[in-house]
Amino acid sequence: MSGRTEQEWQAYLLRNEIIDNEDERVNRLQVVGLLKSLIPSFNRQCIQENMPKRTDFTCQLVPFGSYGLGSHIKGADIDLVLLAPVVVRRKDFFNFLPNLLRAQPTVDNAIDVITNANVPIIKCKIDGIQIDISFVRLGLPTVPPDINLLDNHLLERLEQSCRSSMDGPRVNQYTLEKVAKADRSSFLTALQAIKHWASQRLLYGKPMGYLNGSAWTLLLLRSYQLMRFGDTAQQSPVPDQSEPPIDCTLLLIDFFQRWANWQWPEPVMFSKMMPMASENDVPQRFQDTTEFMNDLMPIITPCYPASSAAPNVTNSTLNVIRNELFRAAAILTQPASPDVVKDRFFKPASFLGSYIHFIQVTVSSETLRSHGFWGRSMQYKLPRLVSLLEEVENIDWAQPLTTVHSAQLQYNTEYNKVLIKKGQEPIPDDVGLVVCPGTLLVSYFLIGLEISDEAKRQQAKINIAPAMDAFNNMINTGKRGKHDMDVNVHLSLVNRRAVDTIMKYPRNA
């Protein structure tokens, strides 16, 4: 394929409702406009509460992530960060902004304030769009609208949660600055295609051992730089704006071929040395660091302090990702009409059809609080189970399903309650047993097992009990709080029929 193919990709994505149409685009702009309109009221409440000497300060509400970059697909969240001057405190953010949001008629009443997280956020929905707002208290008297987020001096004396909240916005600005304006539309269209492809092929999810939007973005940026500048891209040159626009399809082909053949765990970096806080720091090579030594797919973020964009990748998920990269590269280079190529490229992966044996992790609880917390935290625990299964003889790999299915199941006897906790369906007519009605909130996590060809031929028995016991011990010996004593975790080996039943339950949002 050659020529200017960006329009073909955009038309396909729009026609298949993968990206926003014009009305949805305008709606997102209006939602962000509404949020920004709340900032003057927020400032006034902070002044009344704190009575600072300087009252002419301003805060800035900055979109980042896929929406801030312009690479979001339909239904994506909008991530924003409130950049505040030193006179505004974190407790002001959590005390005042939620009340301002509740006063808006288009804001859903279910506003979630999450304070005990690495990146504390306020979550809400506006016109059906999920909004996540984080907070950074900068050591500045006021925050200008043209603030340079790549200035490392902004990180000085910041508390850790604020530093963490700066990572995404800083990488966004870095990305936009490294892509020539003439190439930006093709770059963002290619990124939208990659994100939808990753979702369709069950590869989108950092907690489960795959890659999230940030990691896919960094891989595309590195591919773009190497296409444009060759090896000199290690110095991250500023793009020459006079260059002719890059072709979207050729960029995608380079992306899939490059990373399918990459010699992982060779690191993906944007400079020869690790990012530094200042020019006075002693340069450090990747090989001399210790924090990434166990990473199987080290994609190093380009801004200080450097972190791994894909820290949970296991041997199994790396194998799945690599196979899918090869598949995509082959499809994009095959001789077929553009629409046929795109249909094959985006064809959804069949998790159910790919495996015969599955591990089912059933997490049940009696309260919404426990259900929400364990539904999130179990995703981060699952790579450990995958690593344990990789050690089992005759298992080639174990693929965790990126989607989590949940159900609210009612029982009328203690026996049925036990069945639900074990991930089984309750008996509909359990007459003769003691009536004990109740409801359990259940989340189901699934892992497909690929058995070795030799074991299949010999019909060998595979002993996964030690791996399951080790994972159970890890879960049960972990620290439990008073709010999650109602949680039960059960592991079981299941067949396609059981998995098919579970996959009919609603997906977690």
Side-chain angles (χ1 to χ4, degrees):
M1 295 182 189
S2 60
R4 290 288 295 151
T5 58
E6 175 207 343
Q7 291 82 5
E8 290 179 4
W9 283 95
Q10 283 187 343
Y12 183 93
L13 296 174
L14 188 61
R15 186 168 64 250
N16 288 276
E17 300 185 344
I18 296 166
I19 59 176
D20 287 345
N21 58 34
E22 181 62 18
D23 290 342
E24 292 163 332
R25 187 190 69 82
V26 171
N27 186 45
R28 284 182 180 267
L29 287 173
Q30 291 172 341
V31 166
V32 173
L34 169 66
L35 291 168
K36 289 186 175 183
S37 72
L38 303 179
I39 299 306
S41 297
F42 175 79
N43 292 343
R44 287 192 294 271
Q45 292 188 17
C46 291
I47 291 170
Q48 293 170 5
E49 176 71 16
N50 302 326
M51 300 186 68
K53 292 181 180 179
R54 178 172 178 172
T55 61
D56 62 341
F57 66 83
T58 58
C59 299
Q60 302 296 332
L61 191 62
V62 179
F64 68 99
S66 63
Y67 179 75
L69 201 59
S71 63
H72 65 284
I73 58 179
K74 188 185 289 287
D77 299 353
I78 296 180
D79 296 308
L80 303 104
V81 60
L82 182 66
L83 302 175
V86 69
V87 297
V88 178
R89 301 165 300 179
R90 183 175 295 278
K91 70 176 185 179
D92 299 328
F93 171 70
F94 285 121
N95 287 342
F96 301 143
L97 192 56
N99 291 331
L100 290 169
L101 289 167
R102 290 187 183 99
Q104 308 307 308
T106 57
V107 177
D108 192 303
N109 288 330
I111 296 174
D112 199 2
V113 177
I114 302 174
T115 58
N116 58 344
N118 183 43
V119 177
I121 58 173
I122 296 172
K123 297 175 73 74
C124 66
K125 271 191 175 183
I126 305 178
D127 281 347
I129 300 172
Q130 180 65 51
I131 307 294
D132 293 349
I133 309 174
S134 53
F135 174 82
V136 173
R137 185 191 189 194
L138 296 168
L140 301 174
T142 188
V143 182
D146 60 347
I147 184 170
N148 177 20
L149 297 177
L150 297 180
D151 183 356
N152 286 342
H153 292 98
L154 295 175
L155 303 180
E156 294 175 0
R157 294 182 295 277
L158 283 189
E159 60 182 62
Q160 184 55 47
S161 60
C162 288
R163 275 196 171 205
S164 299
S165 298
M166 285 285 279
D167 286 346
R170 280 162 59 83
V171 171
N172 258 47
Q173 182 174 331
Y174 178 93
T175 301
L176 289 172
E177 288 187 3
K178 296 305 177 184
V179 179
K181 289 183 179 179
D183 295 334
R184 196 165 292 174
S185 183
S186 286
F187 178 88
L188 296 177
T189 299
L191 187 52
Q192 288 174 318
I194 291 167
K195 287 181 177 181
H196 183 62
W197 163 83
S199 179
Q200 292 289 89
R201 302 304 298 177
L202 307 178
L203 306 174
Y204 202 99
K206 180 178 177 180
M208 299 274 203
Y210 301 99
L211 277 58
N212 65 357
S214 177
W216 292 120
T217 300
L218 291 176
L219 288 181
L220 182 63
L221 177 61
R222 190 72 189 121
S223 191
Y224 164 80
Q225 286 184 323
L226 290 167
M227 275 189 73
R228 273 298 192 206
F229 312 111
D231 290 340
T232 61
Q234 280 286 359
Q235 282 72 51
S236 295
V238 177
D240 181 357
Q241 305 298 336
S242 64
E243 288 280 341
I246 200 164
D247 181 85
C248 187
T249 297
L250 295 180
L251 178 58
L252 283 168
I253 291 171
D254 180 274
F255 171 89
F256 287 104
Q257 290 180 339
R258 185 181 302 280
W259 305 121
N261 292 286
W262 192 256
Q263 298 302 303
W264 305 103
E266 180 73 20
V268 177
M269 297 178 63
F270 293 84
S271 56
K272 290 184 176 179
M273 297 293 177
M274 297 295 290
M276 299 182 296
S278 72
E279 294 179 355
N280 297 325
D281 288 355
V282 177
Q284 186 181 32
R285 300 182 308 164
F286 174 84
Q287 293 84 347
D288 298 328
T289 63
T290 58
E291 59 263 47
F292 311 115
M293 60 186 302
N294 295 321
D295 282 20
L296 298 178
M297 206 171 180
I299 303 168
I300 308 305
T301 58
C303 302
Y304 176 85
S307 62
S308 172
N312 303 318
V313 173
T314 65
N315 285 306
S316 289
T317 53
L318 176 57
N319 182 69
V320 172
I321 291 168
R322 184 186 282 120
N323 287 342
E324 288 293 341
L325 290 168
F326 275 117
R327 171 191 173 274
I331 290 173
L332 289 175
T333 53
Q334 64 187 200
S337 68
D339 276 1
V340 168
V341 167
K342 293 174 179 62
D343 286 342
R344 292 172 181 168
F345 176 70
F346 289 125
K347 182 181 178 181
S350 173
F351 181 75
L352 185 62
S354 298
Y355 302 99
I356 298 175
H357 306 288
F358 303 84
I359 298 293
Q360 175 183 315
V361 181
T362 306
V363 182
S364 57
S365 57
E366 298 177 4
T367 65
L368 280 171
R369 182 189 180 106
S370 298
H371 179 67
F373 175 79
W374 277 82
R376 293 188 297 269
S377 64
M378 183 54 71
Q379 296 181 51
Y380 290 90
K381 301 178 191 297
L382 222 58
R384 177 54 184 157
L385 175 56
V386 170
S387 295
L388 289 167
L389 291 168
E390 290 169 353
E391 297 173 6
V392 176
E393 186 178 2
N394 290 320
I395 290 183
D396 282 350
W397 68 80
Q399 179 180 355
L401 179 63
T402 52
T403 54
V404 182
H405 295 263
S406 293
Q408 182 173 310
L409 301 178
Q410 294 180 337
Y411 58 87
N412 51 10
T413 66
E414 192 68 28
Y415 180 72
N416 264 345
K417 181 178 182 181
V418 172
L419 287 180
I420 292 172
K421 285 184 174 183
K422 289 183 176 181
Q424 301 173 27
E425 292 187 78
I427 299 173
D429 299 316
D430 50 356
V431 293
L433 299 177
V434 178
V435 176
C436 177
T439 301
L440 284 175
L441 303 169
V442 190
S443 291
Y444 301 96
F445 301 82
L446 297 166
I447 300 174
L449 302 179
E450 180 61 31
I451 310 302
S452 68
D453 292 337
E454 183 67 21
K456 291 175 184 176
R457 281 194 298 270
Q458 297 183 1
Q459 297 183 341
K461 291 185 177 180
I462 299 172
N463 184 15
I464 62 172
M468 295 170 73
D469 289 343
F471 185 73
N472 265 324
N473 290 336
M474 183 192 80
I475 295 295
N476 293 327
T477 57
K479 187 177 180 181
R480 294 262 186 123
K482 63 180 181 180
H483 298 296
D484 60 355
M485 296 302 292
D486 62 310
V487 174
N488 182 78
V489 179
H490 182 83
L491 276 66
S492 52
L493 182 64
V494 296
N495 56 24
R496 281 179 176 169
R497 182 178 178 182
V499 171
D500 185 48
T501 298
I502 287 168
M503 294 181 73
K504 290 183 172 66
Y505 288 132
R507 296 182 180 184
N508 281 12

